[in-house]
Amino acid sequence: MTFIWVVLGLAVLVIGWGIVIYNRLVRLKTQVANGWSQIDVQLKRRYDLIPNLVESVKDYMSYEQETLRQVIEARNSAVKANAGGIPSHETIAAEGALSASLGRLFALSENYPNLKANETVQQLMEELSSTENKIGFARQFYNDSATTYNAAVLSFPDNMIASRYNFQQAELWRVAESERAAVEAAPKVNLR
């Protein structure tokens, strides 16, 4: 009779342990989804601001129509890549290309004094810069959440429950190659 109670007690412990791990994985996965939602909200704001900015600067930057076209194309590609609502390699790459094209637009705008004096353009650029900062903070939160979740999915004994219930690793937000290229192509500053 004691043997049955011991076996029953062990079974309850194992089941309880599995439930605790499962609930922890669900909580971490939900936190990752929340992190992506925070990014998504800021990306939507950016998507909304870009056409207004391009429309406001196109008369001033008549010689930069190719850059403006690239910004709009990058924006449209990013919207399309993000349509699924979940982070993917394609989403991250498209957002990187959009960030790089916006960087070129901001850099070129420095060459147009009339553009810099326009209040509407300045306000839109400020809003877009603020949104870019918020996206950066949201990406950091997302990556922190995703890293914690991924560590749980890969760690023993959590990985046994994770594989049983199909918990997949979350995609980390990395700097896209287009953003790296834009940084490397930036003018070098000599402080001598």
Side-chain angles (χ1 to χ4, degrees):
M1 190 70 161
T2 306
F3 177 73
I4 293 174
W5 285 110
V6 169
V7 169
L8 188 59
L10 285 174
V12 168
L13 283 175
V14 168
I15 291 170
W17 164 81
I19 290 170
V20 167
I21 289 176
Y22 180 85
N23 287 339
R24 179 173 175 263
L25 289 170
V26 167
R27 187 175 55 254
L28 291 172
K29 187 175 183 178
T30 303
Q31 191 170 13
V32 170
N34 177 45
W36 176 253
S37 294
Q38 297 303 316
I39 293 172
D40 200 33
V41 166
Q42 297 307 323
L43 292 178
K44 167 84 170 81
R45 178 166 170 69
R46 177 173 30 166
Y47 299 155
D48 292 345
L49 286 170
I50 290 171
N52 295 333
L53 179 62
V54 169
E55 189 63 32
S56 297
V57 303
K58 75 178 181 182
D59 292 336
Y60 294 96
M61 299 177 77
S62 58
Y63 296 108
E64 308 296 344
Q65 294 302 310
E66 180 62 21
T67 300
L68 297 176
R69 186 187 59 75
Q70 288 173 353
V71 168
I72 291 298
E73 285 178 1
R75 179 226 180 246
N76 293 342
S77 293
V79 168
K80 185 178 177 183
N82 192 26
I86 56 171
S88 68
H89 181 70
E90 292 79 23
T91 304
I92 294 167
E95 289 300 330
L98 178 55
S99 293
S101 67
L102 284 173
R104 285 191 300 277
L105 176 63
F106 280 7
L108 286 172
S109 70
E110 294 296 319
N111 296 332
Y112 295 88
N114 291 340
L115 181 64
K116 290 169 61 175
N118 184 300
E119 283 185 39
T120 302
V121 172
Q122 285 302 79
Q123 182 182 11
L124 286 168
M125 286 188 154
E126 270 184 42
E127 286 184 45
L128 195 53
S129 292
S130 172
T131 301
E132 292 294 325
N133 288 336
K134 290 175 185 175
I135 290 170
F137 290 124
R139 286 176 182 170
Q140 181 64 47
F141 174 75
Y142 170 81
N143 274 351
D144 289 345
S145 299
T147 300
T148 302
Y149 169 74
N150 288 345
V153 166
L154 294 173
S155 299
F156 180 82
D158 293 14
N159 63 351
M160 293 188 315
I161 300 295
S163 64
R164 170 88 170 105
Y165 292 100
N166 204 25
F167 285 90
Q168 301 295 318
Q169 289 187 58
E171 181 85 27
L172 290 177
W173 195 288
R174 292 184 172 84
V175 175
E177 289 305 315
S178 56
E179 285 182 276
R180 284 188 204 284
V183 169
E184 292 171 5
K188 306 296 182 231
V189 177
N190 188 352
L191 297 176
R192 288 184 186 214

